[in-house]
Amino acid sequence: MILEAVILPVKPGLESNFETAFKKASKIISSMDGYLSHELHKCIEVKGKYLLLVKWETLESHTVGFRSSVEYQEWKKLLHHFYDPFPTVEHFEEIEI
């Protein structure tokens, strides 16, 4: 399992519109091969800052499968105009403790 983690800086005043659009976009990502789950969290201290966590079966499920899909184009259309600056996506693997 791979965890995708992204800090999403949403433009001021667009938080409510972003959350509405994200609900629509959630249906897109959750339909993808290799998708396991996702969560969106709103920062308490910083207005307009969100944390997106997505669990994928493999790194390629996200970087190849999702990002090269037609569905990703719709995801981009729904969400990418809300971000400033554009977010950096990082992937993590779990360490057994």
Side-chain angles (χ1 to χ4, degrees):
M1 186 274 298
I2 298 297
L3 179 65
E4 170 193 352
V6 191
I7 298 292
L8 302 173
V10 173
K11 295 174 186 172
L14 298 180
E15 295 88 358
S16 180
N17 291 344
F18 167 71
E19 291 176 20
T20 299
F22 196 90
K23 287 178 186 175
K24 293 177 186 173
S26 289
K27 294 175 185 169
I28 295 170
I29 198 169
S30 63
S31 72
M32 300 305 300
D33 287 339
Y35 163 89
L36 298 173
S37 67
H38 74 283
E39 304 172 0
L40 181 66
H41 300 263
K42 183 172 21 177
C43 184
I44 295 168
E45 292 83 10
V46 180
K47 185 177 173 85
K49 185 176 188 178
Y50 293 79
L51 171 63
L52 172 61
L53 302 172
V54 185
K55 291 183 180 177
W56 297 96
E57 288 177 4
T58 65
L59 178 63
E60 293 74 20
S61 296
H62 177 232
T63 59
V64 178
F66 181 52
R67 285 200 179 155
S68 65
S69 69
V70 172
E71 291 87 349
Y72 181 65
Q73 299 308 311
E74 184 63 23
W75 170 275
K76 284 173 47 174
K77 192 183 309 178
L78 283 168
L79 298 176
H80 284 195
H81 65 280
F82 287 107
Y83 308 136
D84 186 27
F86 196 77
T88 299
V89 176
E90 298 177 305
H91 300 91
F92 298 83
E93 57 187 356
E94 188 173 6
I95 296 174
E96 291 189 33
I97 53 173

